[in-house]
C-alpha cells in the first residue's frame, strides 16, 4: 500500500503476473480498469519475494494461483481483511489514531511531494485523471511550504 501508493482494491487484485521486478515496476489495474506501471522499491521487491517463497509452501486455491496476496485458505485477500490487518497491526504497535489503507496512500503521496517529487509524477503514480484530485489528496504543512519558499525564493535572504 505505502511503497506504491495503491488503493486497497488495487492491492487485493494484484497478480503475480503483474510483477515486473527486473524492470522495477508493477502493473496496477486502477479505477475503470485503467492500467498503469508503478515503480516498486528494492525493499518492497525483497519483501514480496520473501513472501512468495513462503507462499509456495501454502495451499493455494486453483482459482487464485495468480493472485499475489492470499488469505489462510489460499484465496485472495478481501478489502475488509486488509482493513482488519491494518487495525490489528496499528493496535499491536500502540497506535491509537484511526488508520486505514487510504492512510498509507495519502502518506505515500505526501512523502513523495515533501521529498521533491513533482505533483505530476505523483498524479501519474496514483493513477489520478485530474491533477486537481492529486492536489486535494495531498497536503503539505505550512512549515514545509514556508521552508520551500525560503529556500527557493530569490528574495529569501531578506
Amino acid at each position: 500500500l505505502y511503497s506504491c501508493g495503491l488503493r486497497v482494491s488495487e492491492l487485493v487484485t494484484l497478480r503475480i503476473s503483474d510483477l515486473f521486478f527486473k524492470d522495477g515496476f508493477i502493473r496496477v489495474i486502477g479505477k475503470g480498469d485503467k492500467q498503469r506501471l508503478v515503480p516498486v522499491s528494492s525493499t518492497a521487491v525483497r519483501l514480496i519475494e520473501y513472501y512468495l517463497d513462503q507462499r509456495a509452501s501454502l495451499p493455494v486455491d486453483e482459482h487464485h494461483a495468480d493472485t499475489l496476496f492470499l488469505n489462510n485458505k489460499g484465496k485472495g485477500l478481501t478489502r475488509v481483511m486488509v482493513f482488519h490487518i491494518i487495525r490489528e497491526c496499528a493496535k499491536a504497535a500502540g497506535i491509537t489514531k484511526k488508520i486505514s489503507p487510504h492512510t498509507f496512500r495519502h502518506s505515500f503521496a505526501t512523502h513523495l511531494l515533501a521529498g521533491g517529487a513533482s505533483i505530476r509524477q505523483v498524479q501519474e503514480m496514483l493513477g489520478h485523471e485530474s491533477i486537481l484530485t492529486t492536489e486535494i489528496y495531498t497536503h503539505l504543512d505550512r512549515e514545509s511550504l514556508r521552508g520551500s519558499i525560503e529556500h527557493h525564493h530569490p528574495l529569501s535572504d531578506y
Side-chain angles (χ1 to χ4, degrees):
L1 290 170
Y2 176 76
S3 182
C4 295
L6 301 182
R7 297 175 179 98
V8 69
S9 58
E10 295 168 344
L11 179 81
V12 299
T13 58
L14 200 57
R15 299 169 305 190
I16 295 170
S17 58
D18 293 326
L19 308 177
F20 301 97
F21 289 161
K22 287 184 176 147
D23 298 319
F25 289 93
I26 62 171
R27 179 179 43 224
V28 177
I29 311 299
K31 287 184 176 181
D33 284 334
K34 291 185 182 172
Q35 294 185 23
R36 68 184 189 279
L37 293 176
V38 178
V40 61
S41 71
S42 59
T43 300
V45 168
R46 184 173 40 82
L47 293 170
I48 292 170
E49 286 176 340
Y50 175 78
Y51 164 78
L52 287 171
D53 285 344
Q54 304 304 309
R55 181 186 181 276
S57 65
L58 302 172
V60 177
D61 181 282
E62 64 184 66
H63 296 97
H64 296 274
D66 196 32
T67 303
L68 179 57
F69 295 112
L70 303 176
N71 63 21
N72 58 357
K73 295 179 182 169
K75 297 181 179 182
L77 285 179
T78 65
R79 292 173 41 87
V80 172
M81 192 63 201
V82 174
F83 274 85
H84 176 73
I85 291 167
I86 289 171
R87 273 196 300 270
E88 291 300 310
C89 289
K91 183 178 174 183
I95 298 170
T96 56
K97 182 180 177 185
K98 185 178 177 186
I99 296 177
S100 71
H102 190 77
T103 306
F104 291 91
R105 185 167 160 86
H106 186 88
S107 296
F108 167 84
T110 302
H111 293 156
L112 284 178
L113 288 171
S118 75
I119 194 148
R120 178 69 182 100
Q121 291 169 320
V122 175
Q123 174 193 7
E124 186 72 24
M125 284 187 272
L126 293 176
H128 289 158
E129 257 185 55
S130 169
I131 196 103
L132 297 175
T133 307
T134 310
E135 288 174 349
I136 293 167
Y137 207 102
T138 59
H139 72 282
L140 296 174
D141 61 59
R142 294 190 192 283
E143 284 304 309
S144 175
L145 180 59
R146 184 167 118 108
S148 181
I149 290 170
E150 288 177 1
H151 184 275
H152 297 288
H153 196 280
L155 301 176
S156 64
D157 49 355
Y158 280 90

